[in-house]
Structure formats: C-alpha cells, structure tokens
C-alpha cells in the first residue's frame, strides 16, 4: 500500500496548524505511519499462514482464525490511520475555498486565508472533535473485537467443523503485543493532544472575544 497521499495530507495540514497541532502531525507521521510501514506491516504479513491448530481437520484453522481475528489488527490500524487523518482535510478544503473566493472576486477578502479565525476556526474545531471521536471509537473497537488489548499465545477453539476443542497457536505473540501497546499509547497521546489543542483554541478565542466586548463597552 502506498501512503504518499496520507503524507501529503499531513504536510498540507501542518501549514495551518497551531503549535500543538504540529506536534500531533509529527506523532502521526513519525510514531504511527512510519512505524506501520517500516515494522508493523511485516509482523502481521503472514499471520493467517502462521496461525496453527493441533488438528488437520479441513476448514478448522480457517474458522478458528476468523472467530478470534474477525478483522486483522494491522488492517484495522491502517483504517484508523486513514480515518483520524481525514478530518484534517476539512481545514485544507476551507483554506482552498478562501483562496479561490479571493481569486474569483479579484480582491483581498481575508488578512490571511490560512489564519485560524471566523469560519475556519469553526472548521478547525470540528476537525479536532471528529479526530478525537474517531480515536476513541477505534480504541473501543480494538478492545471489543479482541477482548482487550492483548495477544494470547494460545487460544482454544471448539467451533464447527472442529471435531472437539483444539489448541491454536498465534505466531509472534510477544512482538505483536508490544506493537499493540504502542498503538494504544500513541492513540491516547493523540487524544490528549487533540483535547489540549481544542481547549487552547476555545480559551484563546473566548479571551479574545471578551477583550473585544470590554473595549467596545469602554468606547
């Protein structure tokens, strides 16, 4: 899979982000995207082939694998990366709309099309809320699908067509567990960064609005 498009999205968003937002972009790019491409993808590459049960009943291994891993960890991680990065496109599109509007009217309508204020502030806040919500949804999804944030070494399966309860072994459980914990940790860090940026922007512009009203009253 080519991740160039996601890299381009993150690079575009970085231009219009606050300081906290730039840290979020760095975390997503360095500690999530690069780790995924460089290491995690290879660890889960042959997970189905390396899943073994102590019986050769036709179809038993496939059914057990599908039961315990309805969605591959790595595919769900890839989907999470794409989904949490997508709301940032709202900001890029809004800035592009401002720039096109200026070109259409052939005059300067904004002090700086990329400055976070007015409608762009609302778009930016919505993107932060969406990113935070999606991070939480995917963490809950991971927890529910795999019965917690853990990779067992051995699972017992008694689903048909298995004739009885069989032992199935997962390959590289310790290595996968480390990467899963890393995934959860970086997701939590991104949630904290998003909430911090959301709080910062709301506080900053609340103070700004209050000071404007105070000045108007004095005048």
């Amino acid at each position: 899979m080519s991740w160039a498009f996601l890299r381009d999205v993150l690079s575009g968003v970085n231009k219009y982000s606050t300081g906290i937002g730039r840290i979020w972009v760095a975390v997503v790019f360095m500690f999530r995207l690069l780790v995924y491409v460089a290491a995690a993808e290879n660890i889960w590459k042959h997970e189905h082939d390396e899943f073994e049960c102590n019986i050769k009943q036709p179809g038993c291994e496939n059914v057990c694998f599908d039961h315990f891993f309805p969605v591959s960890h790595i595919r769900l991680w890839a989907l999470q990366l794409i989904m949490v990065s997508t709301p940032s496109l709202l900001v890029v599109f809004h800035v592009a709309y401002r720039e096109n509007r200026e070109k259409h009217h052939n005059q300067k309508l904004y002090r700086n099309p990329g400055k976070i204020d007015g409608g762009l502030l609302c778009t930016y806040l919505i993107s932060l809320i969406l990113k935070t919500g999606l991070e939480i949804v995917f963490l809950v999804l991971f927890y529910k699908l795999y019965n917690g944030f853990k990779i067992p070494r051995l699972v017992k399966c008694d689903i048909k067509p298995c004739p009885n309860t069989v032992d199935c072994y997962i390959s590289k459980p310790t290595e996968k567990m480390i990467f899963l914990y890393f995934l959860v940790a970086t997701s939590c860090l991104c949630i904290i960064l998003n909430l911090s940026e959301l709080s910062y922007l709301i506080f900053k512009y609340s103070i700004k609005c209050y000071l404007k009203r105070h000045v108007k009253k004095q005048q």
Side-chain angles (χ1 to χ4, degrees), residues 81-119:
L81 271 172
I82 294 167
M83 293 299 291
V84 299
S85 302
T86 300
S88 299
L89 282 172
L90 293 173
V91 178
V92 177
F93 289 153
H94 197 131
V95 174
Y97 164 75
R98 283 183 165 189
E99 291 172 346
N100 288 332
R101 193 160 175 257
E102 285 189 340
K103 287 180 182 177
H104 180 71
H105 290 86
N106 199 25
Q107 59 179 324
K108 193 76 175 173
L109 300 173
Y110 308 96
R111 290 181 183 177
N112 180 359
K115 185 180 180 183
I116 302 174
D117 59 5

Side-chain angles (χ1 to χ4, degrees), residues 165-184:
T165 301
V166 297
D167 295 334
C168 296
Y169 302 91
I170 299 167
S171 66
K172 307 170 188 171
T174 304
E175 196 172 14
K176 288 177 178 177
M177 181 87 78
I178 291 168
F179 275 95
L180 187 59
Y181 284 157
F182 184 82
L183 160 70
V184 174

Side-chain angles (χ1 to χ4, degrees), residues 6 30 33 40 47 49 53 60 63 74 101 116 121 148 154 157-158 164-165 170 178 189 202:
L6 188 57
M30 294 179 64
L33 182 57
E47 60 175 332
D49 296 336
C53 297
C60 181
V63 169
I74 203 67
R101 193 160 175 257
I116 302 174
L121 173 62
L154 172 102
C157 179
D158 57 358
N164 48 45
T165 301
I170 299 167
I178 291 168
L189 177 58
I202 291 172

Side-chain angles (χ1 to χ4, degrees), residues 143-172:
Y143 189 87
K144 292 288 185 183
L145 279 175
Y146 309 115
N147 296 317
F149 301 115
K150 59 183 184 295
I151 306 286
R153 296 176 182 274
L154 172 102
V155 291
K156 294 187 177 291
C157 179
D158 57 358
I159 303 168
K160 291 182 179 180
C162 300
N164 48 45
T165 301
V166 297
D167 295 334
C168 296
Y169 302 91
I170 299 167
S171 66
K172 307 170 188 171

Side-chain angles (χ1 to χ4, degrees), residues 2-219:
S2 174
W3 291 94
F5 77 98
L6 188 57
R7 179 199 61 203
D8 294 339
V9 168
L10 294 175
S11 299
V13 171
N14 196 48
K15 292 189 291 186
Y16 312 116
S17 300
T18 64
I20 301 173
R22 289 189 178 94
I23 296 172
W24 178 86
V25 170
V27 169
V28 171
F29 184 75
M30 294 179 64
F31 297 108
R32 298 180 79 170
L33 182 57
L34 288 183
V35 167
Y36 176 93
V37 173
E41 197 171 20
N42 291 326
I43 293 171
W44 271 271
K45 194 172 184 179
H46 304 292
E47 60 175 332
H48 189 277
D49 296 336
E50 295 171 347
F51 182 83
E52 295 182 354
C53 297
N54 61 354
I55 192 169
K56 296 303 178 183
Q57 176 75 20
C60 181
E61 282 188 2
N62 288 336
V63 169
C64 291
F65 182 85
D66 184 65
H67 175 72
F68 290 107
F69 303 102
V71 181
S72 171
H73 283 85
I74 203 67
R75 290 186 179 91
L76 196 58
W77 192 354
L79 182 61
Q80 181 182 12
L81 271 172
I82 294 167
M83 293 299 291
V84 299
S85 302
T86 300
S88 299
L89 282 172
L90 293 173
V91 178
V92 177
F93 289 153
H94 197 131
V95 174
Y97 164 75
R98 283 183 165 189
E99 291 172 346
N100 288 332
R101 193 160 175 257
E102 285 189 340
K103 287 180 182 177
H104 180 71
H105 290 86
N106 199 25
Q107 59 179 324
K108 193 76 175 173
L109 300 173
Y110 308 96
R111 290 181 183 177
N112 180 359
K115 185 180 180 183
I116 302 174
D117 59 5
L120 185 58
L121 173 62
C122 294
T123 302
Y124 200 96
L125 293 176
I126 290 169
S127 73
L128 287 173
I129 292 167
L130 288 174
K131 285 191 289 187
T132 305
L134 286 167
E135 291 279 16
I136 294 169
V137 166
F138 273 96
L139 282 177
V140 172
L141 195 59
F142 266 99
Y143 189 87
K144 292 288 185 183
L145 279 175
Y146 309 115
N147 296 317
F149 301 115
K150 59 183 184 295
I151 306 286
R153 296 176 182 274
L154 172 102
V155 291
K156 294 187 177 291
C157 179
D158 57 358
I159 303 168
K160 291 182 179 180
C162 300
N164 48 45
T165 301
V166 297
D167 295 334
C168 296
Y169 302 91
I170 299 167
S171 66
K172 307 170 188 171
T174 304
E175 196 172 14
K176 288 177 178 177
M177 181 87 78
I178 291 168
F179 275 95
L180 187 59
Y181 284 157
F182 184 82
L183 160 70
V184 174
T186 51
S187 290
C188 292
L189 177 58
C190 285
I191 289 171
I192 292 168
L193 289 171
N194 286 332
L195 291 175
S196 299
E197 188 174 17
L198 188 66
S199 303
Y200 165 74
L201 287 172
I202 291 172
F203 178 76
K204 178 183 175 181
Y205 285 95
S206 295
I207 294 295
K208 193 175 179 180
C209 289
Y210 172 77
L211 291 174
K212 277 186 178 178
R213 288 179 184 177
H214 184 69
V215 169
K216 283 182 180 179
K217 284 181 180 179
Q218 286 186 334
Q219 288 176 347

